[in-house]
Amino acid sequence: MLFNSYEFIFIFLPLVLFGFQLARRLGYNAAIVFLIFVSLIFYAWWRPINLLIIVPSIFVNYILAKTLLRYAEYEGKARVRNFLLTIGIISNLLFLGYFKYLTFFQGTSNDLFGTDFVLTYIILPLGISFITFQKIAFLVDVHGGGIKAFKFREFALFVLFFPQLIAGPIVHFREMVPQYRQLGIRIDRNMLALGISLFCIGLFKKAVLADGIAIHVTPVFDAAAAGQVITLTYAWIAAIGFTLQIYFDFAGYSDMAAGLALAIGLRLPVNFDSPLKSCNIIDFWARWHITLTRFLTAYVYNPIALYGTRRRLGKGLGGFNPNNPKFTAFLTLLAAPTFLTMLLSGLWHGAGYTFIVWGALHGAYLCINHGWRLIAPKRFSSRETYEKWMRPVGFVITFLSVTFAMVWFRAESVGSALELSKAMAGTNGIGIPEKIVGMIGLENMSFIIPEAVSLLEFFTTVAWVIALLVVALLLPNGFQFLAAYEPVLGYKLKDNPSSRVAAKLSWQPSLPWFLIISVLLISAVLRVGGQSEFLYWQF
Amino acid sequence: MTDEELLRSFSQTLGDLLGTTDLELTLETLRSEVPGWDSFNYINFIVAIEIGHNVKFKVADVESFRNVGQIVSELQAMLA
């Protein structure tokens, strides 16, 4: 079931909120079981047969975790615990691998090694990448002693909780389960109003902004996939337009997920925090899909970097000294783990070469950014001077780098991504509506390509891009407006211009905010209708 | 060592890594509150502590520290 569908907004959500209030009065267990039950309905809505995949996987992980806990009581059973954890991680990865990567690996093997595998087309169960990561994090936490006790229903809800089931945030057991246990029997009206407001803000971002610009972006990518020549103008419109589309799509989803959880009385971790305002790519990844970055850092980057650093020191090669950086140390202790982590991030997003290139691009960006930070600040008279110059320059470079990589994220194939990349570099000329070409007399310029579009169509597209850029780059985000009420776990306003604006216009249960939210909701509901899935639901 | 002594030594170590002299960590300090304390510098910081105190943190612990205070208390437990 989609958050942005009539059945969800007008039937499922009101019934869940009402039913949950009744269940809470019956006690903690009834409330938890009720949430599990509605989450199963939510998940089964698309393909009921998927329950036969997700439910057994929950049982298997529960048994593994309970066994891990049992062995935690015995000293000297570390090997057994390590073995169980390894089995758990491998079985979860195989589970994900079968559904998500089997076809890709068969195709790659046929391409590279001339094998003759018949491609197995499997319909990907919704949210499997998110669910798998969450279960792995849970097993690691149990193994590390971070979780001492849990009940089956708590674990089941932790995996299935419908606001974050399909596309995150990827939550930790320790973040959510203590909150379950503190759910009171009475509805918190402030949290309900806060949650519904945040849901409406998210719905507006998705249905009006993301789906609105998608109409202008999709035809360009379709044309590139069909082998049509794309000009520099339209390649950049498509690249920036798609960056904004996925930005508002994911921002909208994240707001809606956090809002739904709040309405129920729970706070999710922050997952998206105005990443396009970032002034460097390291900061970008601290603001875009924050819980995925957190997961990959904890379970991929940290172990590799720790192992590498300890190994170098063990060999007497010296660790990494930022004041006197050595290239080999930089390469082995920073660049290699970073690049590998981002490559895996690319593969996690999709089983395809374009996603691997996207991950590799971001890996390279991060390595360059880290290297730059080691060298460049010393060349400026002070840290303040460095910041003063690098903030605007870094912002432009970060935005362009993210936009360029997004072409690979969105393109149908490596071929069309390459064509669009070349077009962005200007190899196909600059496209200008033919009417303007005729008016100004640009016919003789070889690099000007007349585009067969009306002026209205062209300027509408440009206006969409500019308007969404303004919203993304200058306005506060939904969490900032609601910051006084901690809409997501631990959220605090930072000291920047958009936070100051948000603090002055802070959300309140008041008439003006009721009117604002009503306008957002009505304009969004009028746009809901067709099946417009969230881009991150395919992962 | 007392918590205050560890905090002073942590501040010195992290200050060296980040190239700042006026860093003062507290038990409540979060990584996100210190500019430049990203995952890379975090690993460097952890390994620097390991070398300085001749200890080895568990990988799961490294991920689970929520604030500086938790690193201090884990280190105190290892040194005890």
Side-chain angles (χ1 to χ4, degrees), chain A residues 172 174 282 297-299 301-303 305-306 309-310 313 320 322-323 334 370 373 492, chain B residues 16-17 33 36 38-41 43-44 47 50-51 56-60 62-63 66:
Chain A
H172 280 291
R174 60 173 175 265
I282 297 170
T297 303
Y299 301 113
Y301 176 87
N302 279 355
L306 259 178
T309 308
R310 286 168 176 166
L313 291 167
F320 191 84
N323 300 315
L334 197 158
H370 278 295
R373 283 206 326 198
K492 286 180 194 161
Chain B
D16 288 347
L17 286 170
E33 291 168 355
D38 55 25
S39 34
F40 170 61
N41 281 320
I43 294 295
N44 280 326
V47 175
E50 289 185 341
I51 296 165
K56 203 168 171 183
F57 290 107
K58 281 196 266 178
V59 177
V62 172
E63 184 274 324
R66 301 267 78 82

Side-chain angles (χ1 to χ4, degrees), chain A residues 52 82 113 149 160 271 274 294 306 338 354 373 388 396 402 538:
Chain A
L52 295 178
N82 292 344
F113 310 114
L160 290 167
N271 206 28
S274 296
R294 182 177 72 168
L306 259 178
T338 302
T354 50
R373 283 206 326 198
K388 189 180 148 198
V396 173
V402 168
Q538 63 186 293

Side-chain angles (χ1 to χ4, degrees), chain A residues 16-84:
Chain A
V16 166
L17 292 177
F18 180 69
F20 183 59
Q21 296 316 320
L22 293 182
R24 277 161 88 157
R25 286 166 196 270
L26 296 176
Y28 171 70
N29 289 340
I32 299 297
V33 170
F34 177 80
L35 286 178
I36 294 170
F37 176 68
V38 294
S39 296
L40 286 170
I41 294 174
F42 174 83
Y43 192 73
W45 197 262
W46 178 59
R47 285 184 83 228
I49 198 158
N50 279 350
L51 286 183
L52 295 178
I53 298 165
I54 194 171
V55 173
S57 89
I58 289 173
F59 277 107
V60 168
N61 279 277
Y62 172 75
I63 292 164
L64 265 171
K66 277 287 180 191
T67 317
L68 266 171
L69 269 187
R70 192 170 310 132
Y71 279 102
E73 294 165 12
Y74 305 109
E75 285 290 323
K77 290 288 182 187
R79 277 190 181 180
V80 181
R81 287 199 297 273
N82 292 344
F83 176 72
L84 285 168

Side-chain angles (χ1 to χ4, degrees), chain A residues 221-300:
Chain A
F221 281 96
D222 288 348
Q228 292 177 27
V229 174
I230 310 294
T231 61
L232 177 137
T233 317
Y234 272 91
W236 275 101
I237 284 175
I240 298 176
F242 177 68
T243 304
L244 291 165
Q245 181 194 343
I246 195 167
Y247 174 92
F248 283 107
D249 195 281
F250 199 31
Y253 167 80
S254 300
D255 285 353
M256 279 189 259
L260 291 166
L262 269 180
I264 287 165
L266 302 167
R267 286 184 173 88
L268 295 178
V270 59
N271 206 28
F272 200 86
D273 193 16
S274 296
L276 290 182
K277 290 175 186 164
S278 307
C279 291
N280 59 64
I281 201 76
I282 297 170
D283 189 34
F284 174 84
W285 277 105
R287 302 166 118 195
W288 178 289
H289 210 173
I290 297 164
T291 57
L292 175 69
T293 306
R294 182 177 72 168
F295 181 94
L296 291 173
T297 303
Y299 301 113
V300 181

Side-chain angles (χ1 to χ4, degrees), chain A residues 132-286:
Chain A
T132 306
F133 272 21
Q134 204 157 294
K135 286 184 300 194
I136 289 175
F138 174 75
L139 291 176
V140 172
D141 286 347
V142 174
H143 175 268
I147 298 169
K148 307 280 185 207
F150 63 93
K151 295 186 172 122
F152 176 75
R153 51 185 169 268
E154 291 170 341
F155 173 62
L157 181 60
F158 160 72
V159 176
L160 290 167
F161 187 46
F162 74 89
Q164 41 93 189
L165 172 62
I166 310 292
I170 302 166
V171 296
H172 280 291
F173 192 80
R174 60 173 175 265
E175 289 169 329
M176 299 310 296
V177 176
Q179 293 192 66
Y180 301 165
R181 293 171 184 163
Q182 284 172 1
L183 279 171
I185 57 162
R186 282 179 192 281
I187 181 172
D188 182 332
R189 287 183 186 174
N190 252 353
M191 271 179 97
L192 182 65
L194 202 64
I196 290 173
S197 299
L198 193 52
F199 179 82
C200 294
I201 293 171
L203 186 64
F204 178 83
K205 286 181 184 171
K206 166 63 180 161
V208 178
L209 304 184
D211 289 354
I213 200 161
I215 297 164
H216 303 274
V217 169
T218 309
V220 187
F221 281 96
D222 288 348
Q228 292 177 27
V229 174
I230 310 294
T231 61
L232 177 137
T233 317
Y234 272 91
W236 275 101
I237 284 175
I240 298 176
F242 177 68
T243 304
L244 291 165
Q245 181 194 343
I246 195 167
Y247 174 92
F248 283 107
D249 195 281
F250 199 31
Y253 167 80
S254 300
D255 285 353
M256 279 189 259
L260 291 166
L262 269 180
I264 287 165
L266 302 167
R267 286 184 173 88
L268 295 178
V270 59
N271 206 28
F272 200 86
D273 193 16
S274 296
L276 290 182
K277 290 175 186 164
S278 307
C279 291
N280 59 64
I281 201 76
I282 297 170
D283 189 34
F284 174 84
W285 277 105

Side-chain angles (χ1 to χ4, degrees), chain A residues 231 426 428-432 442 444-450:
Chain A
T231 61
N428 297 338
I430 302 170
I432 294 182
L442 300 170
N444 297 330
M445 293 185 172
S446 59
F447 59 89
I448 299 291
I449 311 296

Side-chain angles (χ1 to χ4, degrees), chain A residues 403-419:
Chain A
T403 301
F404 175 69
M406 277 301 180
V407 170
W408 289 83
F409 197 88
R410 169 64 176 82
E412 306 285 334
S413 63
V414 171
S416 64
L418 273 174
E419 281 308 314

